[in-house]
Amino acid sequence: MEPFALKPLPGLVPLREAPLLVLVGLTGVGKSTLAEALGFPRLPDRRELVDRYVLPRYGASPPIPREERFRLTRRFREEFPGGVAEVLARGYAPRRPLLLFDGLRGEAEVAYALEHLPKARFVLLHAREGTRLKRLLARQDAFDRARVGPEEEARLKALAQGVLAEEELLEALALAPLEEVLAKLKIVAEEKKNYDPESPLRLLSGHPRALVLDTEALSLEEEVQAVRRFLQEGLP
């Protein structure tokens, strides 16, 4: 992981002037897997930037449930509309031929990064909510915690009707106990509420500095090849 600071330090350059590859997408689309496979020098990821610069602003520290993180990052965006992209754009890091950042979410963050990080290129990864839910259930990451009480089960089952098709919910229930499925579903639903997945897709589709990947249709090897071709094309 490369050093990162919000002030000038010896050996660090402003990220506004640095070549970046920024991954965009919601939880479970495959950003971390792709980042690992690409092997580029990496900046601290979104989770770490939120831990360092967002949560302490509101007197919180990790670990906290994901819905509480969503609440605090939403509060942060009310003060700083560019969200995590504003933290990134104010940052300094070592000079490298390319640095990778994982990742941005939502239209406002992407729009801010497009404007304020002129040397950045963007790879948007997307997948259906049902696929993202199944990936969350499979990865067993302690970070994917959400509080689910008995009184919430009925509400979350109703909520699934606006997020998942019935067959997708049944597939998820075949993978894990009901309580775990509901906890992960809560994360997917909260993310969808906080970050419209379609807006960044509309913003970046066809953009000369962006590549869009359907991670359900492509293998990891195909994704890596597509990104490397995209980078070889050079900036417009």
Side-chain angles (χ1 to χ4, degrees):
M1 197 73 68
E2 299 291 330
F4 178 93
L6 288 184
K7 60 182 179 180
L9 293 173
L12 303 186
V13 298
L15 287 179
R16 291 173 183 264
E17 302 172 8
L20 301 177
L21 182 66
V22 177
L23 303 186
V24 179
L26 299 180
T27 302
V29 295
K31 300 187 302 300
S32 298
T33 302
L34 177 59
E36 187 71 26
L38 288 169
F40 297 134
R42 294 168 66 176
L43 293 164
D45 62 16
R46 178 189 189 88
R47 185 187 304 185
E48 187 165 347
L49 292 192
V50 170
D51 286 351
R52 282 197 211 176
Y53 303 111
V54 176
L55 299 187
R57 185 178 183 87
Y58 307 109
S61 60
I64 59 174
R66 289 292 295 275
E67 70 269 25
E68 180 67 7
R69 291 179 72 95
F70 290 141
R71 186 184 72 80
L72 294 177
T73 53
R74 184 166 61 244
R75 184 176 170 186
F76 183 75
R77 292 198 311 274
E78 291 170 357
E79 297 183 58
F80 302 95
V84 172
E86 292 204 33
V87 179
L88 185 64
R90 295 177 186 180
Y92 295 79
R95 187 182 301 277
R96 298 283 185 266
L98 183 71
L99 287 166
L100 185 147
F101 178 69
D102 170 13
L104 296 183
R105 295 178 182 147
E107 183 176 14
E109 288 191 355
V110 173
Y112 188 95
L114 280 168
E115 180 179 355
H116 294 276
L117 295 168
K119 292 189 176 182
R121 306 187 80 181
F122 300 83
V123 176
L124 184 146
L125 296 84
H126 67 97
R128 292 171 299 171
E129 280 79 10
T131 298
R132 296 197 297 111
L133 175 61
K134 286 188 283 187
R135 290 173 178 173
L136 282 179
L137 291 168
R139 76 184 193 179
Q140 296 295 310
D141 188 337
F143 177 68
D144 300 324
R145 298 188 309 128
R147 287 188 293 258
V148 178
E151 73 284 354
E152 290 188 286
E153 291 193 8
R155 185 177 67 83
L156 282 171
K157 287 177 182 178
L159 181 61
Q161 296 177 8
V163 178
L164 303 176
E166 183 176 352
E167 60 272 18
E168 290 176 320
L169 181 58
L170 291 174
E171 287 177 15
L173 289 169
L175 295 175
L178 174 63
E179 182 177 337
E180 184 178 350
V181 172
L182 290 174
K184 301 301 191 292
L185 173 58
K186 188 171 185 178
I187 292 169
V188 172
E190 286 288 326
E191 260 197 341
K192 187 173 183 179
K193 182 175 72 175
N194 283 273
Y195 304 101
D196 173 14
E198 296 302 320
S199 295
L201 185 59
R202 290 192 295 268
L203 193 62
L204 293 177
S205 292
H207 195 287
R209 289 164 56 198
L211 172 69
V212 175
L213 298 176
D214 180 348
T215 65
E216 293 186 65
L218 300 171
S219 67
L220 178 59
E221 181 180 346
E222 289 171 328
E223 291 175 23
V224 170
Q225 291 173 350
V227 172
R228 294 194 179 278
R229 285 195 301 268
F230 171 60
L231 293 173
Q232 288 169 2
E233 293 169 1
L235 286 171

PDB file of all heavy atoms in Angstrom, residues 1 6 10 25-26 28 35 40 50 70 101 112-113 117 138 156 158-159 161 181 187 189 192 205 223:
ATOM      1  N   MET A   1       0.843  -1.197   0.000  1.00  0.00           N
ATOM      2  CA  MET A   1       0.000   0.000   0.000  1.00  0.00           C
ATOM      3  C   MET A   1       0.879   1.249   0.000  1.00  0.00           C
ATOM      4  O   MET A   1       1.805   1.353   0.808  1.00  0.00           O
ATOM      5  CB  MET A   1      -0.906   0.000   1.226  1.00  0.00           C
ATOM      6  CG  MET A   1      -2.080   0.942   1.120  1.00  0.00           C
ATOM      7  SD  MET A   1      -3.364   0.357  -0.017  1.00  0.00           S
ATOM      8  CE  MET A   1      -3.993  -1.072   0.847  1.00  0.00           C
ATOM      9  N   LEU A   6      -2.858  14.108   3.488  1.00  0.00           N
ATOM     10  CA  LEU A   6      -3.682  15.233   3.061  1.00  0.00           C
ATOM     11  C   LEU A   6      -2.915  16.552   3.116  1.00  0.00           C
ATOM     12  O   LEU A   6      -3.518  17.622   3.056  1.00  0.00           O
ATOM     13  CB  LEU A   6      -4.948  15.336   3.923  1.00  0.00           C
ATOM     14  CG  LEU A   6      -6.002  14.262   3.687  1.00  0.00           C
ATOM     15  CD1 LEU A   6      -7.238  14.528   4.535  1.00  0.00           C
ATOM     16  CD2 LEU A   6      -6.386  14.166   2.208  1.00  0.00           C
ATOM     17  N   PRO A  10       7.629  15.463   1.949  1.00  0.00           N
ATOM     18  CA  PRO A  10       8.736  15.117   1.040  1.00  0.00           C
ATOM     19  C   PRO A  10       8.483  13.794   0.315  1.00  0.00           C
ATOM     20  O   PRO A  10       8.073  12.809   0.923  1.00  0.00           O
ATOM     21  CB  PRO A  10       9.938  14.999   1.992  1.00  0.00           C
ATOM     22  CG  PRO A  10       9.583  15.860   3.160  1.00  0.00           C
ATOM     23  CD  PRO A  10       8.097  15.731   3.322  1.00  0.00           C
ATOM     24  N   GLY A  25     -17.793   1.238  -8.284  1.00  0.00           N
ATOM     25  CA  GLY A  25     -18.811   0.197  -8.190  1.00  0.00           C
ATOM     26  C   GLY A  25     -19.196  -0.076  -6.750  1.00  0.00           C
ATOM     27  O   GLY A  25     -18.493   0.317  -5.811  1.00  0.00           O
ATOM     28  N   LEU A  26     -20.307  -0.749  -6.580  1.00  0.00           N
ATOM     29  CA  LEU A  26     -20.825  -1.052  -5.262  1.00  0.00           C
ATOM     30  C   LEU A  26     -20.205  -2.335  -4.706  1.00  0.00           C
ATOM     31  O   LEU A  26     -19.473  -3.049  -5.396  1.00  0.00           O
ATOM     32  CB  LEU A  26     -22.351  -1.178  -5.321  1.00  0.00           C
ATOM     33  CG  LEU A  26     -23.103   0.074  -5.784  1.00  0.00           C
ATOM     34  CD1 LEU A  26     -24.606  -0.185  -5.795  1.00  0.00           C
ATOM     35  CD2 LEU A  26     -22.774   1.276  -4.912  1.00  0.00           C
ATOM     36  N   GLY A  28     -19.432  -5.947  -3.799  1.00  0.00           N
ATOM     37  CA  GLY A  28     -19.739  -7.223  -4.428  1.00  0.00           C
ATOM     38  C   GLY A  28     -19.654  -7.235  -5.941  1.00  0.00           C
ATOM     39  O   GLY A  28     -19.931  -8.268  -6.549  1.00  0.00           O
ATOM     40  N   ALA A  35      -8.561  -5.452  -8.558  1.00  0.00           N
ATOM     41  CA  ALA A  35      -7.390  -4.685  -8.110  1.00  0.00           C
ATOM     42  C   ALA A  35      -6.225  -5.620  -7.806  1.00  0.00           C
ATOM     43  O   ALA A  35      -5.077  -5.347  -8.174  1.00  0.00           O
ATOM     44  CB  ALA A  35      -7.746  -3.852  -6.889  1.00  0.00           C
ATOM     45  N   PHE A  40      -1.199  -3.324  -9.761  1.00  0.00           N
ATOM     46  CA  PHE A  40      -0.636  -1.984  -9.789  1.00  0.00           C
ATOM     47  C   PHE A  40      -0.395  -1.470  -8.364  1.00  0.00           C
ATOM     48  O   PHE A  40      -1.070  -1.904  -7.419  1.00  0.00           O
ATOM     49  CB  PHE A  40      -1.583  -1.018 -10.511  1.00  0.00           C
ATOM     50  CG  PHE A  40      -1.808  -1.339 -11.957  1.00  0.00           C
ATOM     51  CD1 PHE A  40      -3.092  -1.321 -12.491  1.00  0.00           C
ATOM     52  CD2 PHE A  40      -0.756  -1.658 -12.800  1.00  0.00           C
ATOM     53  CE1 PHE A  40      -3.321  -1.618 -13.820  1.00  0.00           C
ATOM     54  CE2 PHE A  40      -0.969  -1.958 -14.144  1.00  0.00           C
ATOM     55  CZ  PHE A  40      -2.252  -1.947 -14.655  1.00  0.00           C
ATOM     56  N   VAL A  50     -12.185   6.238   4.591  1.00  0.00           N
ATOM     57  CA  VAL A  50     -13.335   6.530   5.458  1.00  0.00           C
ATOM     58  C   VAL A  50     -12.941   6.351   6.924  1.00  0.00           C
ATOM     59  O   VAL A  50     -13.288   7.178   7.784  1.00  0.00           O
ATOM     60  CB  VAL A  50     -14.531   5.636   5.090  1.00  0.00           C
ATOM     61  CG1 VAL A  50     -15.644   5.740   6.136  1.00  0.00           C
ATOM     62  CG2 VAL A  50     -15.079   6.027   3.722  1.00  0.00           C
ATOM     63  N   PHE A  70     -22.838   3.888   6.376  1.00  0.00           N
ATOM     64  CA  PHE A  70     -23.617   4.573   5.334  1.00  0.00           C
ATOM     65  C   PHE A  70     -24.189   5.876   5.874  1.00  0.00           C
ATOM     66  O   PHE A  70     -24.196   6.900   5.186  1.00  0.00           O
ATOM     67  CB  PHE A  70     -24.750   3.681   4.828  1.00  0.00           C
ATOM     68  CG  PHE A  70     -24.301   2.503   4.016  1.00  0.00           C
ATOM     69  CD1 PHE A  70     -24.931   1.277   4.154  1.00  0.00           C
ATOM     70  CD2 PHE A  70     -23.271   2.613   3.104  1.00  0.00           C
ATOM     71  CE1 PHE A  70     -24.535   0.182   3.402  1.00  0.00           C
ATOM     72  CE2 PHE A  70     -22.863   1.527   2.346  1.00  0.00           C
ATOM     73  CZ  PHE A  70     -23.493   0.308   2.494  1.00  0.00           C
ATOM     74  N   PHE A 101      -6.788   3.232  -7.272  1.00  0.00           N
ATOM     75  CA  PHE A 101      -7.641   3.506  -6.110  1.00  0.00           C
ATOM     76  C   PHE A 101      -8.924   2.705  -6.213  1.00  0.00           C
ATOM     77  O   PHE A 101      -9.631   2.735  -7.211  1.00  0.00           O
ATOM     78  CB  PHE A 101      -7.988   4.995  -6.012  1.00  0.00           C
ATOM     79  CG  PHE A 101      -8.915   5.287  -4.853  1.00  0.00           C
ATOM     80  CD1 PHE A 101      -8.472   5.177  -3.549  1.00  0.00           C
ATOM     81  CD2 PHE A 101     -10.249   5.618  -5.067  1.00  0.00           C
ATOM     82  CE1 PHE A 101      -9.324   5.412  -2.478  1.00  0.00           C
ATOM     83  CE2 PHE A 101     -11.115   5.858  -4.005  1.00  0.00           C
ATOM     84  CZ  PHE A 101     -10.646   5.755  -2.705  1.00  0.00           C
ATOM     85  N   TYR A 112     -17.294  14.454  -9.385  1.00  0.00           N
ATOM     86  CA  TYR A 112     -16.254  15.264  -8.743  1.00  0.00           C
ATOM     87  C   TYR A 112     -14.869  14.788  -9.194  1.00  0.00           C
ATOM     88  O   TYR A 112     -13.994  15.601  -9.514  1.00  0.00           O
ATOM     89  CB  TYR A 112     -16.382  15.168  -7.221  1.00  0.00           C
ATOM     90  CG  TYR A 112     -15.464  16.116  -6.490  1.00  0.00           C
ATOM     91  CD1 TYR A 112     -15.914  17.366  -6.076  1.00  0.00           C
ATOM     92  CD2 TYR A 112     -14.137  15.775  -6.209  1.00  0.00           C
ATOM     93  CE1 TYR A 112     -15.070  18.252  -5.404  1.00  0.00           C
ATOM     94  CE2 TYR A 112     -13.287  16.646  -5.544  1.00  0.00           C
ATOM     95  CZ  TYR A 112     -13.764  17.887  -5.147  1.00  0.00           C
ATOM     96  OH  TYR A 112     -12.925  18.767  -4.500  1.00  0.00           O
ATOM     97  N   ALA A 113     -14.663  13.479  -9.212  1.00  0.00           N
ATOM     98  CA  ALA A 113     -13.364  12.938  -9.608  1.00  0.00           C
ATOM     99  C   ALA A 113     -13.060  13.249 -11.072  1.00  0.00           C
ATOM    100  O   ALA A 113     -11.912  13.571 -11.419  1.00  0.00           O
ATOM    101  CB  ALA A 113     -13.333  11.433  -9.363  1.00  0.00           C
ATOM    102  N   LEU A 117      -9.719  15.333 -10.922  1.00  0.00           N
ATOM    103  CA  LEU A 117      -8.583  14.423 -11.121  1.00  0.00           C
ATOM    104  C   LEU A 117      -8.390  14.228 -12.622  1.00  0.00           C
ATOM    105  O   LEU A 117      -8.763  13.199 -13.190  1.00  0.00           O
ATOM    106  CB  LEU A 117      -8.841  13.087 -10.421  1.00  0.00           C
ATOM    107  CG  LEU A 117      -8.936  13.138  -8.893  1.00  0.00           C
ATOM    108  CD1 LEU A 117      -9.491  11.826  -8.337  1.00  0.00           C
ATOM    109  CD2 LEU A 117      -7.573  13.438  -8.272  1.00  0.00           C
ATOM    110  N   ALA A 138     -20.630 -15.287  -0.021  1.00  0.00           N
ATOM    111  CA  ALA A 138     -19.517 -16.198  -0.262  1.00  0.00           C
ATOM    112  C   ALA A 138     -18.210 -15.695   0.331  1.00  0.00           C
ATOM    113  O   ALA A 138     -17.363 -16.485   0.746  1.00  0.00           O
ATOM    114  CB  ALA A 138     -19.339 -16.426  -1.766  1.00  0.00           C
ATOM    115  N   LEU A 156     -37.404  -6.503   6.105  1.00  0.00           N
ATOM    116  CA  LEU A 156     -36.365  -6.788   5.125  1.00  0.00           C
ATOM    117  C   LEU A 156     -36.856  -7.748   4.043  1.00  0.00           C
ATOM    118  O   LEU A 156     -36.452  -7.651   2.892  1.00  0.00           O
ATOM    119  CB  LEU A 156     -35.132  -7.356   5.827  1.00  0.00           C
ATOM    120  CG  LEU A 156     -34.277  -6.303   6.534  1.00  0.00           C
ATOM    121  CD1 LEU A 156     -33.204  -6.967   7.375  1.00  0.00           C
ATOM    122  CD2 LEU A 156     -33.651  -5.352   5.531  1.00  0.00           C
ATOM    123  N   ALA A 158     -39.838  -7.719   2.928  1.00  0.00           N
ATOM    124  CA  ALA A 158     -40.572  -6.825   2.030  1.00  0.00           C
ATOM    125  C   ALA A 158     -39.601  -5.993   1.202  1.00  0.00           C
ATOM    126  O   ALA A 158     -39.825  -5.763   0.009  1.00  0.00           O
ATOM    127  CB  ALA A 158     -41.489  -5.918   2.844  1.00  0.00           C
ATOM    128  N   LEU A 159     -38.510  -5.560   1.824  1.00  0.00           N
ATOM    129  CA  LEU A 159     -37.520  -4.757   1.129  1.00  0.00           C
ATOM    130  C   LEU A 159     -36.902  -5.538  -0.024  1.00  0.00           C
ATOM    131  O   LEU A 159     -36.574  -4.974  -1.071  1.00  0.00           O
ATOM    132  CB  LEU A 159     -36.424  -4.320   2.114  1.00  0.00           C
ATOM    133  CG  LEU A 159     -35.293  -3.443   1.600  1.00  0.00           C
ATOM    134  CD1 LEU A 159     -35.852  -2.128   1.061  1.00  0.00           C
ATOM    135  CD2 LEU A 159     -34.292  -3.183   2.709  1.00  0.00           C
ATOM    136  N   GLN A 161     -38.271  -7.327  -2.062  1.00  0.00           N
ATOM    137  CA  GLN A 161     -39.121  -7.262  -3.248  1.00  0.00           C
ATOM    138  C   GLN A 161     -38.724  -6.104  -4.161  1.00  0.00           C
ATOM    139  O   GLN A 161     -38.955  -6.141  -5.361  1.00  0.00           O
ATOM    140  CB  GLN A 161     -40.582  -7.119  -2.832  1.00  0.00           C
ATOM    141  CG  GLN A 161     -41.110  -8.317  -2.059  1.00  0.00           C
ATOM    142  CD  GLN A 161     -42.539  -8.134  -1.586  1.00  0.00           C
ATOM    143  OE1 GLN A 161     -43.203  -7.169  -1.959  1.00  0.00           O
ATOM    144  NE2 GLN A 161     -43.006  -9.047  -0.761  1.00  0.00           N
ATOM    145  N   VAL A 181     -28.438 -14.020   5.447  1.00  0.00           N
ATOM    146  CA  VAL A 181     -28.937 -13.474   4.175  1.00  0.00           C
ATOM    147  C   VAL A 181     -29.563 -12.106   4.403  1.00  0.00           C
ATOM    148  O   VAL A 181     -29.327 -11.158   3.641  1.00  0.00           O
ATOM    149  CB  VAL A 181     -29.954 -14.433   3.528  1.00  0.00           C
ATOM    150  CG1 VAL A 181     -30.626 -13.768   2.316  1.00  0.00           C
ATOM    151  CG2 VAL A 181     -29.270 -15.726   3.102  1.00  0.00           C
ATOM    152  N   ILE A 187     -27.280  -4.674   3.619  1.00  0.00           N
ATOM    153  CA  ILE A 187     -26.161  -3.922   3.054  1.00  0.00           C
ATOM    154  C   ILE A 187     -26.451  -3.557   1.607  1.00  0.00           C
ATOM    155  O   ILE A 187     -26.282  -2.402   1.183  1.00  0.00           O
ATOM    156  CB  ILE A 187     -24.859  -4.744   3.151  1.00  0.00           C
ATOM    157  CG1 ILE A 187     -24.447  -4.902   4.613  1.00  0.00           C
ATOM    158  CG2 ILE A 187     -23.740  -4.096   2.342  1.00  0.00           C
ATOM    159  CD1 ILE A 187     -23.334  -5.906   4.828  1.00  0.00           C
ATOM    160  N   ALA A 189     -29.332  -3.368   0.075  1.00  0.00           N
ATOM    161  CA  ALA A 189     -30.446  -2.433  -0.015  1.00  0.00           C
ATOM    162  C   ALA A 189     -30.039  -1.028   0.414  1.00  0.00           C
ATOM    163  O   ALA A 189     -30.418  -0.030  -0.224  1.00  0.00           O
ATOM    164  CB  ALA A 189     -31.611  -2.935   0.841  1.00  0.00           C
ATOM    165  N   LYS A 192     -27.960   0.554  -2.294  1.00  0.00           N
ATOM    166  CA  LYS A 192     -28.775   0.986  -3.424  1.00  0.00           C
ATOM    167  C   LYS A 192     -29.507   2.279  -3.096  1.00  0.00           C
ATOM    168  O   LYS A 192     -29.685   3.146  -3.952  1.00  0.00           O
ATOM    169  CB  LYS A 192     -29.775  -0.113  -3.804  1.00  0.00           C
ATOM    170  CG  LYS A 192     -30.555   0.195  -5.077  1.00  0.00           C
ATOM    171  CD  LYS A 192     -31.399  -0.989  -5.512  1.00  0.00           C
ATOM    172  CE  LYS A 192     -32.112  -0.683  -6.830  1.00  0.00           C
ATOM    173  NZ  LYS A 192     -32.919  -1.831  -7.288  1.00  0.00           N
ATOM    174  N   SER A 205     -20.547   5.667 -19.247  1.00  0.00           N
ATOM    175  CA  SER A 205     -20.712   4.921 -20.499  1.00  0.00           C
ATOM    176  C   SER A 205     -20.342   5.807 -21.682  1.00  0.00           C
ATOM    177  O   SER A 205     -20.889   6.895 -21.857  1.00  0.00           O
ATOM    178  CB  SER A 205     -22.148   4.425 -20.648  1.00  0.00           C
ATOM    179  OG  SER A 205     -22.443   3.441 -19.691  1.00  0.00           O
ATOM    180  N   GLU A 223     -11.469  -9.415 -17.756  1.00  0.00           N
ATOM    181  CA  GLU A 223     -11.498  -8.071 -17.177  1.00  0.00           C
ATOM    182  C   GLU A 223     -10.099  -7.457 -17.175  1.00  0.00           C
ATOM    183  O   GLU A 223      -9.918  -6.289 -17.550  1.00  0.00           O
ATOM    184  CB  GLU A 223     -12.040  -8.125 -15.746  1.00  0.00           C
ATOM    185  CG  GLU A 223     -13.506  -8.470 -15.633  1.00  0.00           C
ATOM    186  CD  GLU A 223     -13.937  -8.625 -14.179  1.00  0.00           C
ATOM    187  OE1 GLU A 223     -13.245  -8.051 -13.298  1.00  0.00           O
ATOM    188  OE2 GLU A 223     -14.938  -9.302 -13.916  1.00  0.00           O
TER     189      GLU A 223
END
